[in-house]
Amino acid sequence: QLLPIDRQQQQDDFKRTIYKNITMAIPSNSNPFYHYIGMALLVIFLGTITSINASNEPDMTYVGLPEDIPSPGGYCMDGSMAGYYIRPGNDPSLFVIHLKGGGGCSTEADCLARNGTKLGSSSLWEPSILGDRLLDGNCNKNPDFCDGTAVHVPYCTSDAHMGNNTELSDDTWGLYFDGHANFAAIVDHLIATFGLGDATHVLLTGGSAGSIGVYFNVDWLADRLGSDVTVKGVPNAGWFNPGSLSDNDLDGIFAPSDYDRFTAGEKGNLFWDSIQLLNGTIAPDTRKLKEGLLNKDCLAYYAPNEWWACASVHIAYRYIESPLFNIHSQYDSNQIFSTQGFAPENPNQSEIESVEKYIEMWGKATRESLQQILNNETMAPKDYPGDGLFSTSCLSHGTFGTTIDGLTWLPIVRDWFFNLGEMTPYYRLMESCDDVEEGGIELPCNEASHCKYEPVTPVMKCAMKMFELECVESYGDKEECINCAKGNEWKLGKVGCDKKMVTDICNY
């Protein structure tokens, strides 16, 4: 199924946060002109965003896989050798391994477009990076994991670290899709070179597409290291995808219907369409997911022409034996707007209610899917304390800047991983909204400003562009404003401005 485009989505979510913070600072009863001033500040600010951690020195060094590795795989899409970043720790018993996200591709055009970028080639990777969050070497910020060996696995295969296709062919458009094989080769290299085999505790984590990789690689890693090693997974923003609400939608083996069909009272989505075209025949496994990665019990349960269901986290979760702490927003903006639902992110006035209803439906489907964690619906019972969950009622891809009961997920994960028992009541948090009126639409309610659904209307987009072009000035002349707009008609038209919008804005 389609994968998340996480870097762009995270940038969009961050920009949405700044937008809401600026607009909230403007009194609702103020002159509309001041609202547009706020929009101008937003444009200026977003145009000057730079790396937040630019002043910090990189502390993780790149190690490329040697060309003569004994393991299969080891290639990026373009054939360059894969590798990893590492910061050796003071505690040889602890390793933290992070799988990077970065979306994915499913068509020849999309995959070839990624091939010459950092998402398809190691030739553009930096010699060193700075570890953060669970990879942070600062013990004031990351006290429980800072002394462990930190490993960051970049992403260059567009397959959510799941592929086993180590040979070029016409079916792969001359590209490698060997994300899992790469991970296996990296693990072998870490064992041989940095002592991973001597560890007693290993945390496998990742974000977005990397998070999907956690779900599908954690049991393999546990088997590879042996029963004497505690291996746990912490996937963040990788629950791709929730099952549909089958009473009113597609069969639960599929993700919910997309926005257009939901709004039209119909059923279906792009992946469902592709399966219907097969007319009951078996979908090709071009990335060889069935070869040593997808759970055998899951594959045996589903019909041969439904093997792809086992590549959905909604289905695969119950077969995963390793402990997991699941971090996922109930309203994943990437799924709703970008890769699954394709709802209009900036709807016109007539579409807002239908978008709200679609967001509500997706949240309900996600909560129902995540409920299997709370119900302990796994094929193999898990040792205490079982799997964890941190799920905010937030419209975002990832849970940055959000809390539940005043807590972020990071300290809870630390407590859960080491079985400290100090935060046990918080191991499973599914945020709920208690203030929904009867018959009302349940929308994201987390207190973080970026979590709520507040669409940017076409008028706002037009006003922002006019400020950027300096057509609107404080108490400026209306005719000058109109003439400026006429001189920039093409640029304004690209963001949806029409004559009425321009006239109304210039009137302020």
Side-chain angles (χ1 to χ4, degrees), residues 445-467:
C445 64
N446 187 275
E447 61 184 11
S449 60
H450 70 275
C451 285
K452 301 192 171 47
Y453 177 61
E454 296 177 358
V456 178
T457 66
V459 173
M460 289 181 182
K461 289 181 67 176
C462 183
M464 291 164 64
K465 192 64 178 177
M466 289 181 67
F467 269 104

Side-chain angles (χ1 to χ4, degrees), residues 147-432:
D147 283 331
T149 294
V151 179
H152 174 81
V153 180
Y155 181 46
C156 62
T157 53
S158 299
D159 57 6
H161 303 272
M162 293 173 64
N164 274 307
N165 198 332
T166 60
E167 298 178 358
L168 302 177
S169 70
D170 291 340
D171 290 336
T172 66
W173 313 300
L175 305 173
Y176 289 99
F177 296 100
D178 57 346
H180 168 67
N182 286 356
F183 179 65
I186 288 170
V187 168
D188 286 346
H189 198 259
L190 287 169
I191 291 172
T193 311
F194 290 100
L196 175 58
D198 299 324
T200 60
H201 290 77
V202 177
L203 173 61
L204 181 63
T205 185
S208 195
S211 176
I212 300 173
V214 172
Y215 282 111
F216 289 99
N217 282 284
V218 66
D219 278 351
W220 178 90
L221 179 61
D223 290 341
R224 176 67 180 86
L225 297 179
S227 58
D228 292 337
V229 182
T230 297
V231 177
K232 297 184 178 183
V234 181
N236 190 339
W239 195 272
F240 274 74
N241 291 287
S244 65
L245 299 169
S246 53
D247 289 345
N248 301 303
D249 201 350
L250 299 169
D251 186 277
I253 199 173
F254 293 98
S257 290
D258 57 35
Y259 168 80
D260 286 342
R261 277 174 269 203
F262 171 84
T263 304
E266 301 172 355
K267 302 177 182 179
N269 55 46
L270 287 179
F271 183 74
W272 181 85
D273 291 343
S274 69
I275 296 301
Q276 302 315 300
L277 290 174
L278 294 172
N279 196 29
T281 60
I282 298 176
D285 182 18
T286 56
R287 301 186 182 185
K288 299 184 179 180
L289 305 182
K290 293 185 286 184
E291 297 186 12
L293 186 68
L294 298 186
N295 184 274
K296 293 180 180 179
D297 291 336
C298 182
L299 292 171
Y301 179 82
Y302 287 93
N305 64 349
E306 292 179 333
W307 70 265
W308 41 264
C310 297
S312 163
V313 174
H314 171 70
I315 299 297
Y317 168 75
R318 69 199 69 171
Y319 296 94
I320 300 173
E321 298 180 2
S322 301
L324 293 168
F325 195 103
N326 306 268
I327 304 168
H328 195 79
S329 169
Q330 296 168 31
Y331 302 87
D332 190 303
S333 55
N334 181 279
Q335 296 174 354
I336 292 171
F337 297 116
S338 299
T339 62
Q340 303 297 323
F342 304 105
E345 191 164 7
N346 299 311
N348 59 46
Q349 195 65 38
S350 65
E351 294 173 323
I352 290 178
E353 184 177 358
S354 63
V355 173
E356 289 179 340
K357 290 181 177 178
Y358 188 75
I359 292 172
E360 178 187 45
M361 179 276 292
W362 199 276
K364 184 177 180 181
T366 300
R367 287 189 294 274
E368 186 170 298
S369 182
L370 294 174
Q371 188 66 36
Q372 60 186 307
I373 301 171
L374 304 180
N375 294 345
N376 300 312
E377 295 177 13
T378 54
M379 301 300 290
K382 299 192 178 184
D383 293 337
Y384 178 85
D387 288 349
L389 175 66
F390 187 90
S391 180
T392 57
S393 177
C394 183
L395 184 64
S396 67
H397 184 52
T399 56
F400 69 94
T402 59
T403 62
I404 303 177
D405 295 339
L407 297 169
T408 64
W409 60 263
L410 193 55
I412 305 173
V413 164
R414 293 167 181 158
D415 193 86
W416 170 85
F417 181 80
F418 291 107
N419 290 330
L420 301 179
E422 298 173 0
M423 305 188 76
T424 306
Y426 304 102
Y427 286 176
R428 294 183 171 188
L429 295 178
M430 175 98 81
E431 187 174 23
S432 61

Side-chain angles (χ1 to χ4, degrees), residues 33 94 134 150 153 215 425-426 441 462 478:
F33 172 77
L94 176 63
L134 292 169
V153 180
Y215 282 111
Y426 304 102
I441 300 175
C462 183
K478 173 184 174 181

